Amino acid sequence: MSARKAIFARLKRTLDEVHNPTVRISGADQRIREANANIIPARGQTEGPARAAMFVSEAEAADAEVMRLAALADVPRFVHDILIQAGASQIKAAPHPQLQDLDWTGVGIHYGRGENSDHIGLSVALAGVAETGTLVLASGPQSPTTLNFLPDVHVVVLEEENIAANYEAVWATLRAQKTEGPVMPRTVNWITGPSRTADIEQTLLLGAHGPRKLIILLIDGKNP
Amino acid sequence: MTHEPHCHDFQKGAADALNNDQLQELLNRTLKNGFQKKRLNGMARLPEYDQLRDQARDLKNHILDHLDAYLERFELEVQKAGGHMHWAEDGDQARAIIGDICKKVGAKTVTKGKSMIAEEIDLNDYLAEQGIEPIETDLGEYIIQLRNELPSHIIAPAFHLSKNQVAETFREHHQHLDADRSLEEPTTLLNEARKELRDRFLKADVGITGANFLVAETGTAMIVTNEGNGDLTQCLPPVHIALTSIDKVVPTLEDATLLLRLLARTATGQEQSVYNTFFTGPKREGDLDGPDEFHIVLLDNGRTELLGSEFRDILRCIRCGACINHCPVYGVTSGHAYGWVYPGPMGSVLTPFFVGIEEAHLLPSASTFCGRCQDVCPVRIPLPDLLRNWRNRAFAVGKPGGAQRLALKVWAMLAQRPGLYHVTARFKIWAMKSLAGKRGHFKWFIGAGGWTKARDLPAPQGGTFQSRYQKGER
Ligand code: SF4
């Protein structure tokens, strides 16, 4: 008997004592179909400016740096300053139209996946999650995952209107976006602050294997 | 290293730990002044914490009642996303499956994210025998791999080592580097490891990670890390294998989210771990990176039997480590005394199952039944009850382990309540006598501030212990 068959046979024997197979399958199907949220804590239910404020304070508490920009068009100027500060001459950016459409005159920018030689990487976040100051990045041709982990400094563009109050809202967005194929992109990264470890005598050190620094460029929401 | 269980040596391991001042200091720093405080702080920031725990317990129970249905759905979705599913009844099968995948692509080196399942099935040894070099990438796991040791804790595998020991280890194993370099600072050690491992990440032929949760709805597996090591293991090599077990499946992304709101907070007091990485199938069309092949190796290794046993509740465990962090026995013995992969209360429930109660009969007795493990467990596993079930089974096979049990109870009680020593002198004498064994000597006793090392005193022959106690105190 194959391992699979044997495992399922044993499961069936035990589980049949509680529910019959039909009930099990319909119970599981129903839970998946409904995909109900569980308890969402109060801190995950912020609205308006309070939401962005919570995102910023939580991200900063997790050692991320947050810079607030008035418009997307300001991104090259901030990146220019970040490069100067880091003593770097170029940035590796995700081939994202929102970045490619900007005016990069005077800034050394290359597009592509992350390489070991990339000191600074630039990505666009799918969303932010206010309750914990978490960035959500979804892999795809416009967002290579390697950029999130290989560079020493990771710069991420996040638009304020893409800050969700909680994680569940981001799952809903992903489900709504998808018309065919798998709901989930190949990789979804929740990123909360820069890489760290406490494995040596419990001393907290930033920059274990991933970025030593996480800089979030938060683009202000459109004012009505 | 090979994980030949040596759980029957618990007493000796415990005694060694008690005599190791450095270890006692690190235990105190890591647990009492570390994880325990951090968890309290984390809880204070989430008023709904206890409600989430109830919901997490109910969710896990629902999953266990519908386990085959969720596993079938998970499999279907993995395959739809272009991934390969493999089922393994035991460690032998899982190792062979992984070995075959590696050989098919001619793998020379394999990077590994932290995986307790890989420890459970001794994967590294097997890979090495096949001529494939396994490289642990979690800093703590990397250090203990170099030292050929077992993890001492499921989420802080090398906490038992001082930075000087880490430095010595690096000097011994990084011989290509300048022998006179300074390794005083923890940062220097980290940077050295980062550099060494970066190269390995880039050159690895296969990446193997565990999985914290498997999402049936979408065929997604996910890992939680702070370092970013599992994530590099997952996105760089051309082949990614997630080695995991059947108890990790959850229905939906929302359900994974519920457990993720609890996991980091309970483990380390963090609002969220730095990286929560969800992966679904291999590289997609147009992707610039990601593995060409994606495999899930799903291990049973007796879990289907646990499901039908009086130990079923342990299958709710999400491996947060809180029960370990709060256990007064683990707090003085550390992890290696438990003699196998999983230490502390959760380990004392799991280990007898994997290695047999004859070998591990002392572990269910390595408990004071103080109940703290159950109090802190995010999925409310009644750990003391499960330990009692094992004690009954141990009794049934003629391994009651009672003396040690009582001795440990006294140890831990006294360690926690130093003001009680007048009242309990008799118990202390008894405890020390039973721990001293045949030789009639003991090398440790309980001091006012916890466990205090003393000179090698003869075990008291009776009478009051107080005078000896005072003489022995530093
Ligand atoms: S038994 Fe509970 S407290 Fe212990 S590791 Fe598992 S989930 Fe955490």
Side-chain angles (χ1 to χ4, degrees), chain B residues 346-362:
Chain B
M346 55 85 79
S348 297
V349 174
L350 285 172
T351 305
F353 187 79
F354 288 114
V355 308
I357 189 64
E358 283 83 3
E359 168 66 33
H361 70 280
L362 287 173

Side-chain angles (χ1 to χ4, degrees), chain B residues 12 82 97 151 163-164 191 198 207 231 235 237 258 324 354 422 448:
Chain B
K12 181 177 178 306
I97 292 164
K163 75 174 177 3
N164 291 339
N191 286 339
R198 183 55 75 93
D231 322 85
C235 71
L258 167 64
I324 301 170
F354 288 114
H422 287 277

